[in-house]
């Protein structure tokens, strides 16, 4: 449990700030949350953060968003979870809407790549620092090193899907829990403010939370279907992205291939080059990488507006896509988090989650390597020494001098913009 629970107003400021600085996709965002919540502010202890991360990794949908909701719930229960999830996503919703409108009206946006040139090596350094921190704390037993190494090789070289890797790690941890569970002095403490809080009967609470969550989730889809018909673009987008929210385990990296294929080949909402442009926009803006779904919804409405104006249809398409992508995240967390917290200290569950943590370290390392290869060796131009230097300076600054992540992001972004402008 944190040393002191922050006032709700202070937490609100933090979640809003996080929404503006959360670059780098899920790995970078998890790294930023760990650095801020665990190391800097000490609002959440290390093992509870990892416990929450493990649970979020097993859920469908964007794991970084779900982790933010879980952490907000730990601090201030339902209102904290709602505030954390909404503010984590809201800045990227507004910014990506603006960039999508500029994209469809002005064409390509090469200035974005120039403006964010320095952010990619900064994110690489953030992810590398995250691997170092997580590995130092999570890989304390030989079995954990084996699982991490196997996960690294499985995703980087064998191209196995992320859910299969996490599932295999969970199975190994459940079977051989004694090889993964924490030592006695590392055991999770039972913190009365959360773990021992009275919880109503499982069924009554589950029914209430599910009823509210499902109503909020599906009412906009039903309104769109009754208004424009079930063959209209808005209803089809609502249904499709609701389905994607339930079946795409592994976060954005697992969801994008499925969503892109269906959106391009089946629905015709956008073209393959436009899908790649949308991914580039999502990668160079703060917020979850899965925000590319909003770009798909925007272009779907723009290209198939029906009786509406293209801008109105695109805006509503972006909104219903974002709504059906993220509302399920709140449902999964509010439904499961209280029970996951009560099960902390359960030997078999601890072994399972510890193995999942080890696999996550391997997966994050593979993503850091993959990202570094693309940042430091772009195309056939050899080594990008400028990017390599920025990443090295940022990594040393965070590891040795404990530089704030915000300063690292702003500084690297400014250096990248200056280099592009002077070239």
């Amino acid at each position: 449990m944190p040393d002191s629970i922050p006032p709700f107003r202070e937490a609100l400021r933090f979640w809003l700030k996080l929404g503006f600085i959360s670059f780098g996709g899920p790995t970078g965002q998890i790294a930023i949350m760990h650095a801020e919540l665990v190391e800097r502010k000490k609002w959440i202890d290390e093992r509870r953060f990892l416990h929450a991360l493990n649970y979020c990794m097993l859920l469908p949908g964007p794991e970084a968003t779900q982790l933010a909701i879980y952490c907000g719930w730990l601090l201030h229960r339902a209102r904290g979870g709602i505030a954390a999830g909404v503010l984590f996503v809201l800045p990227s919703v507004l910014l990506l809407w603006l960039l999508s409108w500029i994209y469809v009206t002005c064409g390509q946006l090469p200035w974005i790549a120039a403006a964010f040139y320095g952010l990619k090596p900064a994110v690489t350094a953030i992810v590398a620092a995250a691997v170092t921190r997580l590995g130092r704390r999570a890989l304390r037993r030989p079995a954990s090193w084996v699982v991490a190494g196997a996960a690294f090789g499985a995703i980087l070289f064998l191209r196995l899907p992320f859910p299969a890797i996490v599932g295999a790690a969970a199975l190994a941890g459940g079977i051989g829990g004694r090889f993964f569970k924490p030592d006695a002095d590392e055991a999770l403490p039972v913190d009365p403010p959360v773990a021992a809080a009275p919880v109503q009967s499982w069924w009554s609470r589950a029914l209430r939370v599910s009823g509210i969550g499902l109503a909020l989730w599906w009412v906009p889809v039903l309104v769109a279907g009754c208004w424009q018909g079930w063959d209209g673009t808005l209803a089809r987008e609502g249904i499709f992205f609701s389905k994607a929210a339930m079946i795409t385990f592994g976060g954005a990296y697992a969801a994008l291939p499925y969503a892109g294929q269906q959106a391009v080949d089946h629905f015709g909402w956008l073209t393959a080059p436009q899908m790649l442009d949308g991914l580039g926009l999502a990668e160079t803006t703060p917020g979850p990488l899965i925000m590319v779904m909003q770009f798909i919804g925007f272009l779907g409405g723009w290209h198939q507006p029906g009786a509406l104006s293209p801008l109105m249809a695109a805006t509503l398409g972006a909104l219903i896509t974002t709504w059906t992508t993220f509302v399920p995240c709140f449902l999964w967390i509010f439904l499961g988090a209280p029970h996951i917290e009560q099960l902390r200290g359960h030997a078999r569950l601890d072994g399972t989650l510890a193995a999942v943590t080890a696999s996550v370290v391997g997966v994050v390392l593979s993503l850091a390597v993959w990202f570094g290869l693309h940042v430091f060796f772009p195309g056939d131009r050899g080594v990008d020494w400028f990017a390599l230097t920025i990443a090295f300076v940022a990594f040393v600054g965070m590891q040795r001098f404990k530089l704030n992540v915000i300063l690292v992001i702003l500084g690297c972004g400014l250096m990248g913009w200056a280099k592009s402008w002077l070239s």
Side-chain angles (χ1 to χ4, degrees):
M1 196 60 188
D3 294 336
S4 60
I5 296 178
F8 185 63
R9 183 175 297 180
E10 184 179 352
L12 281 178
R13 289 196 296 267
F14 168 76
W15 296 119
L16 181 60
K17 180 185 72 173
L18 181 66
F20 282 103
I21 67 170
S22 55
F23 292 91
T27 53
Q29 290 150 8
I30 292 170
I32 292 173
M33 279 189 276
H34 182 273
E36 291 289 312
L37 291 171
V38 177
E39 297 189 340
R40 182 168 173 266
K41 296 183 179 296
K42 302 186 185 302
W43 287 350
I44 298 175
D45 65 71
E46 176 74 29
R47 294 196 58 78
R48 171 159 276 159
F49 182 88
L50 294 178
H51 190 81
L53 175 60
N54 292 335
Y55 173 62
C56 295
M57 286 290 182
L58 298 176
L59 297 174
E63 63 271 20
T65 305
Q66 290 162 344
L67 180 62
I69 297 170
Y70 198 124
C71 291
W73 177 85
L74 281 176
L75 295 175
H76 297 103
R77 292 305 184 93
R79 63 172 183 163
I82 293 171
V86 170
L87 295 179
F88 183 70
V89 172
L90 185 60
S92 60
V93 170
L94 300 176
L95 181 57
L96 191 57
W97 178 89
L98 177 62
L99 294 178
S100 299
W101 175 73
I102 295 173
Y103 178 86
V104 295
T105 55
C106 302
Q108 304 298 316
L109 295 172
W111 60 270
I112 291 180
F116 288 93
Y117 174 57
L119 288 179
K120 291 183 179 180
V123 169
T124 304
I126 291 172
V127 174
V131 173
T132 302
R133 289 191 298 267
L134 289 174
R136 186 166 56 243
R137 292 170 171 84
L139 306 182
R140 300 193 179 190
R141 288 173 174 260
S144 298
W145 282 93
V146 171
V147 170
F152 174 81
I155 197 168
L156 188 64
F157 301 113
L158 302 180
R159 309 294 183 187
L160 294 182
F162 177 80
I165 295 171
V166 173
L171 181 62
I175 295 174
R178 66 189 182 91
F179 296 107
F180 294 96
K181 67 179 181 179
D183 297 326
D185 60 339
E186 299 170 4
L188 281 165
V190 178
D191 302 306
V194 173
V199 178
Q200 297 174 349
S201 67
W202 191 90
W203 282 109
S204 63
R205 184 185 181 280
L207 288 174
R208 188 176 73 256
V209 172
S210 299
I212 295 173
L214 291 172
L216 291 172
W217 180 354
W218 285 100
V219 163
V221 181
L222 295 174
V223 170
C226 294
W227 174 34
Q228 288 194 324
W230 293 103
D231 289 331
T233 301
L234 290 180
R236 297 177 78 188
E237 287 180 337
I239 294 172
F240 171 73
F241 287 106
S242 293
K243 181 171 70 173
M246 291 185 286
I247 67 174
T248 48
F249 291 83
Y253 297 105
L256 291 178
Y258 168 74
Q261 181 186 30
Q262 293 294 308
V264 172
D265 298 333
H266 181 69
F267 294 106
W269 290 331
L270 73 173
T271 64
Q274 288 173 334
M275 178 69 188
L276 294 175
D277 290 340
L279 183 58
L281 290 178
E283 285 183 330
T284 53
T285 54
L289 180 58
I290 208 168
M291 286 304 301
V292 70
M293 301 296 194
Q294 177 180 310
F295 180 81
I296 297 173
F298 186 97
L299 262 67
W302 184 271
H303 291 148
Q304 301 175 11
L308 301 175
S309 68
L311 182 58
M312 176 60 71
T315 300
L316 293 176
L319 289 175
I320 198 169
T321 298
T322 303
W323 185 264
T324 53
T325 297
F326 290 103
V327 167
C329 297
F330 294 88
L331 177 59
W332 311 145
I333 298 301
F334 290 157
L335 195 59
H339 309 291
I340 292 296
E341 284 296 304
Q342 286 186 323
L343 289 173
R344 290 190 308 112
H346 186 279
R348 177 158 293 188
L349 179 63
D350 279 353
T352 299
L353 296 183
V356 171
T357 300
S359 72
V360 168
V361 173
V363 169
V364 174
L365 177 60
S366 72
L367 292 173
V369 171
W370 183 87
F371 203 16
L373 290 174
H374 285 75
V375 171
F376 305 142
F377 303 94
D380 55 356
R381 292 178 293 168
V383 180
D384 187 335
W385 292 105
F386 180 78
L388 187 60
T389 301
I390 287 182
F392 176 77
V393 171
F395 180 82
V396 172
M398 288 184 292
Q399 291 292 100
R400 178 69 177 85
F401 301 102
K402 309 299 181 184
L403 290 182
N404 188 284
V405 174
I406 302 176
L407 293 179
V408 171
I409 290 175
L410 292 178
C412 292
L414 182 60
M415 286 189 289
W417 179 86
K419 181 180 184 299
S420 299
W421 185 72
L422 295 173
S423 299

